[in-house]
Amino acid sequence: MKRINTILLSALAAMGATFTLSAQPAPQGNVFGGMNFNHDIMMAWDFSELCRPQNLGTSRSMAMGGAFTSLGADLSSMNINPAGLGMYRHNEFSITPLLSLARSSTSNTSEWNGNSKNRFSVANAGIALNLFESGERNLTSLTLGVGLNRVADFNTNTSFSVGVPYDPTMGPVSSIADAFAQQLQSGGVFPARKPDMNPNGKLNYDHSSYFWPAILGYKSAMVHVDPETGRWGRDAIGNNADLIRSQDFFTTGSINEFDLSIGGNIRNIVYFGATIGIQSVHKDSRLVYGEEYYYDGQAVDGKGNPLAAQLNYAELHQRTLLDGSGVNFKLGVIVRPTAGLRLGVAFHTPTYYSLERGYEAGMLYELVDHTQQKINTDYIDAPTIYDEGSYSWDFISPSRLMFGASYTFGKFAIVSLDYERDWYNGIRVKNFPKDAGMSKNSYKADFKDNFCATNTLRAGMELRPLPMLALRIGGGYTSSMLRDETLAYEMPQATTSHYITAGAGISFSRSVSLDLGYQYLEENLSQYRLFYAFDSASGDFTASSGLFDTTLSRHFATLTLNVRF
């Protein structure tokens, strides 16, 4: 099994086609992809989506847009710029519950199973311990930080359906069965016995999981081999079918990071810090693609002959489960050249991830047998893949470089600005299952050729109209990680994103305070196809669902309890 390589990618681009490494070519050069293909292994979008940071943490840092590279005395500093720990002159404990609400919308479609996902979790919990303090030495103070931060939240749901009527002048409506048939044909996968014998006979393939969805289509009567031509084609789907396509993409999980940090203060002018971060990854992704078939009269084949059996519907179910860990280091410095001005810089090394992965698939279908006047409903399972141990997926994320500047106007106001650059073209895959059909160079070429560094701007402001009350606002913008957004026709990948934030803080005493934070995040996603088959020789799509455009919006609300002692 060979995945698309750089040479083929360049050829497709030259012909005006648009693909990433995610698509797979068959031996004859045909390419098959879309949202419902290629989940048996990790592809470029799987790695990149694990690496995109989110503005989560304490309520104060969230409400100020996450612009904390030059600010400190907040437990989010461990995850942003550990030099901020050096500004602590006391001990502090805080905990931040998080409520996330995700909403999605897809243009020109109807809702299917719902487009919302709500989840309650913990965004931040930690403690800062002031280990040392002296007014006479160059080293003024030293602070230890221990904390747990949520750095990514994957709880989303995108679900929609769209009807496509049959038009005799345009030919049959494109079905995923057409892509399955071409994939099996191009891959040389055929029944071991004559096709006019057992329609569910064994297939002569090497058990490659690349073909599993197509084989499920074969076993559920979506495709068969024509006994006259010896070619794969539709089986119990009439050429005159009206189609309703439905898609449900449901994800849960998160990345949480345990931070162990140290921050120092040199004469209240220079602050320095370092963090070791150990991440825990869990992501559960489920895709259900369904087709319903309707007819004005009888279902007929390409020659106009009535079908002996016809499908009412078919649903392809796929699930991937990721679990693993990662480790990184963070270094930072903050300088206060004047009483109000602070300048900060932080560098995050790439995170080294080691992930175990499971993949399973199945097909639910309902078949009407006209000869026996009965309806058969069944669910067929494919085997389950477990990639673990020496077959795990190991990779390194982009490195991150952050600069920040802030100014404090006495005790009345703070203004803060941040700039961050993340190098997504530097993602490198270090280990993967030996039978994945990929190479390190092909992954490297994909990230180098199709991904780029992102630029992130963050800004925040805090006003104190009363000594006990703080009001905060902020926002941020991140550019696309894709060199050309039209190259992502596989999964909906996050391109640009922006958010606005607000919050408030109340000090009940010198020891106890409560902070509220809110963030509205909107992510623009690349256009994508549910399925396609592409003929690289002619430069045409021979089967395709058409393009879909989804927007994801998310609401985050936090409440932080701070206790100083």
Side-chain angles (χ1 to χ4, degrees):
M1 176 177 59
K2 299 288 186 182
R3 308 275 163 159
I4 190 168
N5 54 34
T6 307
I7 297 176
L8 179 58
L9 175 65
S10 301
L12 291 172
M15 291 186 294
T18 49
F19 299 95
T20 68
L21 178 70
S22 311
Q24 296 188 30
Q28 283 80 4
N30 289 358
V31 181
F32 305 96
M35 190 175 189
N36 293 285
F37 280 73
N38 303 315
H39 293 287
D40 56 311
I41 68 172
M42 289 190 70
M43 303 304 294
W45 72 75
D46 293 301
F47 297 109
S48 62
E49 287 302 307
L50 291 174
C51 301
R52 195 172 181 92
Q54 297 178 4
N55 176 37
L56 305 174
T58 65
S59 296
R60 183 175 181 235
S61 66
M62 176 188 287
M64 293 183 67
F68 259 66
T69 301
S70 61
L71 296 177
D74 189 278
L75 290 182
S76 64
S77 297
M78 289 185 279
N79 184 251
I80 300 173
N81 185 353
L85 285 179
M87 296 183 183
Y88 271 102
R89 306 304 293 269
H90 51 256
N91 303 323
E92 181 174 289
F93 166 80
S94 78
I95 185 169
T96 306
L98 167 70
L99 176 63
S100 64
L101 301 89
R103 304 288 184 267
S104 67
S105 61
T106 303
S107 302
N108 304 314
T109 65
S110 301
E111 188 170 311
W112 187 28
N113 287 333
N115 287 299
S116 62
K117 179 64 179 173
N118 306 329
R119 183 58 62 97
F120 181 81
S121 58
V122 175
N124 172 274
I127 189 169
L129 300 174
N130 195 232
L131 302 179
F132 169 82
E133 187 168 355
S134 172
E136 301 177 356
R137 301 181 182 180
N138 288 332
L139 182 60
T140 305
S141 66
L142 197 64
T143 301
L144 173 69
V146 179
L148 183 67
N149 291 281
R150 174 160 291 207
V151 296
D153 186 282
F154 301 128
N155 296 289
T156 62
N157 189 24
T158 298
S159 182
F160 59 87
S161 65
V162 60
V164 187
Y166 168 65
D167 184 348
T169 63
M170 300 296 292
V173 176
S174 191
S175 164
I176 196 172
D178 300 318
F180 287 160
Q182 295 177 46
Q183 185 184 39
L184 294 170
Q185 184 77 34
S186 298
V189 179
F190 290 93
R193 295 188 289 172
K194 293 182 179 180
D196 60 341
M197 296 180 69
N198 183 359
N200 292 314
K202 293 183 179 180
L203 300 175
N204 64 333
Y205 78 110
D206 61 359
H207 300 286
S208 168
S209 53
Y210 168 57
F211 294 106
W212 284 1
I215 292 170
L216 288 169
Y218 167 60
K219 291 183 176 294
S220 59
M222 296 184 77
V223 294
H224 74 149
V225 176
D226 189 317
E228 296 182 7
T229 64
R231 297 188 63 83
W232 283 97
R234 294 189 183 191
D235 187 1
I237 303 173
N239 279 30
N240 59 333
D242 297 330
L243 264 67
I244 295 181
R245 301 190 185 108
S246 302
Q247 182 70 55
D248 192 7
F249 181 41
F250 180 91
T251 63
T252 60
S254 62
I255 299 179
N256 295 307
E257 182 175 280
F258 173 79
D259 290 323
L260 182 62
S261 305
I262 192 76
N265 173 358
I266 300 177
R267 293 195 173 277
N268 296 319
I269 297 175
V270 177
Y271 305 86
F272 61 91
T275 294
I276 178 172
I278 301 174
Q279 295 188 356
S280 173
V281 181
H282 174 74
K283 185 179 183 182
D284 189 349
S285 303
R286 306 186 189 205
L287 290 95
V288 178
Y289 172 76
E291 289 186 351
E292 297 178 65
Y293 312 102
Y294 299 92
Y295 303 92
D296 183 9
Q298 281 188 304
V300 298
D301 62 17
K303 298 178 182 179
N305 300 317
L307 296 180
Q310 69 183 55
L311 284 167
N312 283 342
Y313 64 82
E315 288 183 358
L316 173 63
H317 294 243
Q318 298 182 86
R319 181 186 183 189
T320 60
L321 185 63
L322 279 176
D323 282 292
S325 58
V327 61
N328 60 52
F329 295 93
K330 304 175 182 70
L331 302 171
V333 175
I334 297 174
V335 178
R336 184 156 62 179
T338 64
L341 179 63
R342 299 177 188 180
L343 303 174
V345 59
F347 176 73
H348 297 192
T349 68
T351 302
Y352 186 96
Y353 287 104
S354 181
L355 304 174
E356 295 182 345
R357 187 175 190 268
Y359 169 73
E360 58 187 42
M363 185 76 76
L364 174 68
Y365 68 95
E366 183 176 275
L367 180 69
V368 179
D369 187 337
H370 294 301
T371 60
Q372 299 185 22
Q373 297 298 311
K374 67 177 183 179
I375 298 177
N376 298 316
T377 303
D378 197 6
Y379 183 84
I380 305 171
D381 280 313
T384 301
I385 300 173
Y386 294 105
D387 298 329
E388 53 191 358
S390 61
Y391 285 81
S392 64
W393 294 86
D394 303 341
F395 77 103
I396 58 172
S397 71
S399 54
R400 302 172 62 189
L401 182 61
M402 291 176 281
F403 299 94
S406 59
Y407 197 87
T408 301
F409 298 88
K411 297 181 179 181
F412 305 105
I414 300 174
V415 176
S416 182
L417 296 173
D418 272 15
Y419 168 77
E420 176 180 335
R421 191 167 176 85
D422 296 16
W423 285 269
Y424 284 87
N425 49 355
I427 296 176
R428 294 292 181 265
V429 180
K430 296 298 184 181
N431 186 64
F432 48 86
K434 302 301 184 291
D435 57 355
M438 298 291 288
S439 69
K440 291 182 181 180
N441 286 336
S442 62
Y443 279 119
K444 180 179 179 180
D446 187 32
F447 286 110
K448 181 180 178 181
D449 296 340
N450 299 306
F451 289 76
C452 62
T454 60
N455 300 298
T456 298
L457 295 175
R458 291 186 286 265
M461 178 183 293
E462 180 179 87
L463 301 175
R464 286 190 173 272
L466 299 172
M468 64 174 294
L469 177 65
L471 303 177
R472 301 164 183 134
I473 59 172
Y477 169 85
T478 299
S479 64
S480 176
M481 67 176 73
L482 300 174
R483 289 187 182 276
D484 185 345
E485 294 178 10
T486 63
L487 291 178
Y489 278 177
E490 308 300 320
M491 294 290 287
Q493 290 183 265
T495 55
T496 59
S497 66
H498 62 273
Y499 59 83
I500 56 175
T501 62
I506 301 176
S507 298
F508 297 100
S509 67
R510 298 185 64 180
S511 301
V512 179
S513 64
L514 199 64
D515 295 318
L516 301 173
Y518 168 78
Q519 176 182 188
Y520 171 77
L521 167 67
E522 187 169 296
E523 291 182 309
N524 296 314
L525 306 179
S526 58
Q527 290 185 319
Y528 57 97
R529 298 177 188 268
L530 304 182
F531 65 86
Y532 66 79
F534 180 81
D535 186 343
S536 57
S538 65
D540 297 325
F541 286 100
T542 53
S544 173
S545 66
L547 284 170
F548 292 86
D549 192 355
T550 296
T551 299
L552 177 64
S553 60
R554 309 189 69 179
H555 303 264
F556 296 100
T558 58
L559 177 66
T560 300
L561 173 65
N562 305 293
V563 179
R564 301 174 185 87
F565 57 95

